[in-house]
Amino acid sequence: MQMTWREIVTAIHGMLFGGFFLMACFGVLVLLHRSFGARGNSEVTDQGRRRERIFLIVMVMLGWAAVLSGAYIVYPWYRAAVPPGVTNLELYPQRLLMSDPHTAGWHTLGMEWKEHVAWMAPMLMTMVAWVMMKYEDAGEEHRRLRAMVSGFALAAFLAGGVAAEFGAWINKKAPVTGGPVITLSQDGK
Amino acid sequence: MSSPREAVANGAAGAAVLAAGLGCFALGLLAVAGDGSKAVARLLTFYRPTGPLSGVSTIAILLWLAAWIAGNRLWRGKTVAIGKVSGVAFVLLALGLLLTFPPFEDLLLGK
């Protein structure tokens, strides 16, 4: 069982950072939804608040890790220029997709949308997390603000979802691959 | 020690929400600008392997943070019409989302 270095990094970008970020976004939506029916945040213990803060900070870090690793590590592999004379496009996913009219849309629609919309998710969730932490003691105002930011959290979840969904499909159609081969386990074991 | 009124002043939240909306709108606008002009795309290429996306995202993030810091200085400790502020921010976010959608971008650029 083997994977290339680029496949491992792509998996870390998409499945670890991106996937866990999206799950955490969903968790925030649940938290916000629950608070609609609660009065302030008084029923949460100090330890609960501390855990909530850690959860929010980790979520924000995962979001930024996903977009930064995507834009500065994986995306350059995806959009690498094909050297003259090279006809095998396996290591050039963007060129591979664009070489066939049946797959070009995965780049012209999918990647072109994903590469930009993805940045909105951590930007919005940073704001949502900050508001949730800043106003956790503000009683009724806290409830109103949580209701307000829930719309932005939903938008962030959808933006992140678009990016993740297209990322997964694009990597299925034209996988980012190459680099040193890493053996995870010997065949048959 | 802050008064009870100051404790629930929502200006800082308003600044954060509005700045996020502005950041998303800036991202969409820069994405269209980079896609519509090769000269702009070159200017936005801060890091060659990533291409214009490096400039689009960096400038949008800097604008977002600058707007947040400025708004926070202006509104911190104050009470703002949070409904209106978040409404404006949501319109900016919606426009930003629309501008990043390639078919709309192509329509706008006459492609």
Side-chain angles (χ1 to χ4, degrees):
Chain A
M1 200 166 80
Q2 294 178 324
M3 281 181 91
T4 67
W5 172 245
R6 289 183 182 184
E7 287 167 351
I8 289 172
V9 174
T10 304
I12 291 170
H13 152 71
M15 293 170 73
L16 182 68
F17 297 151
F20 278 88
F21 171 68
L22 271 185
M23 282 193 270
C25 284
F26 190 76
V28 166
L29 283 170
V30 173
L31 265 177
L32 290 167
H33 181 74
R34 274 182 61 196
S35 69
F36 289 164
R39 286 186 181 182
N41 204 22
S42 54
E43 75 278 14
V44 181
T45 62
D46 284 345
Q47 196 182 26
R49 286 182 189 194
R50 200 162 46 245
R51 283 179 185 162
E52 192 176 299
R53 263 182 248 141
I54 291 168
F55 167 71
L56 291 170
I57 291 166
V58 170
M59 173 195 68
V60 167
M61 288 169 69
L62 284 169
W64 287 110
V67 291
L68 289 169
S69 62
Y72 291 98
I73 302 174
V74 181
Y75 188 54
W77 292 333
Y78 168 82
R79 71 188 291 273
V82 183
V86 172
T87 52
N88 181 0
L89 299 177
E90 192 192 7
L91 296 178
Y92 308 93
Q94 181 188 4
R95 293 294 111 202
L96 184 63
L97 290 172
M98 296 296 282
S99 67
D100 181 349
H102 296 104
T103 57
W106 289 107
H107 175 75
T108 56
L109 174 67
M111 182 53 83
E112 296 262 333
W113 194 15
K114 165 193 163 64
E115 71 184 35
H116 292 120
V117 83
W119 289 90
M120 293 184 184
M123 224 187 274
L124 291 168
M125 289 314 283
T126 301
M127 176 273 285
V128 169
W130 187 83
V131 169
M132 288 175 75
M133 289 190 285
K134 169 97 177 159
Y135 289 89
E136 65 181 4
D137 289 320
E140 186 62 17
E141 187 66 20
H142 176 258
R143 195 187 63 78
R144 268 200 298 274
L145 290 172
R146 279 190 168 217
M148 180 193 75
V149 296
S150 62
F152 293 92
L154 182 62
F157 180 66
L158 294 176
V162 165
E165 191 66 25
F166 272 116
W169 278 107
I170 290 166
N171 201 48
K172 197 169 170 63
K173 298 289 174 186
V176 171
T177 187
V181 175
I182 291 146
T183 302
L184 301 172
S185 73
Q186 295 301 321
D187 288 344
K189 290 186 180 175
Chain B
M1 192 177 154
S2 60
S3 70
R5 180 65 186 161
E6 280 171 341
V8 292
N10 57 21
V17 169
L18 191 58
L22 274 167
C24 292
F25 179 66
L27 190 89
L29 211 58
L30 287 161
V32 173
D35 207 31
S37 155
K38 284 189 176 170
V40 175
R42 268 197 302 276
L43 282 174
L44 289 169
T45 304
F46 292 1
Y47 178 61
R48 194 177 289 273
T50 300
L53 178 63
S54 56
V56 169
S57 54
T58 304
I59 295 175
I61 288 168
L62 290 176
L63 285 172
W64 163 55
L65 292 174
W68 192 351
I69 293 165
N72 194 55
R73 281 188 183 165
L74 207 66
W75 285 350
R76 187 180 48 202
K78 294 180 180 167
T79 301
V80 296
I82 199 73
K84 282 182 187 170
V85 171
S86 68
V88 171
F90 216 87
V91 169
L92 288 169
L93 165 64
L95 287 172
L97 283 168
L98 198 62
L99 287 169
T100 60
F101 187 54
F104 182 77
E105 208 178 312
D106 291 347
L107 193 74
L108 215 60
L109 296 169
K111 282 186 177 176

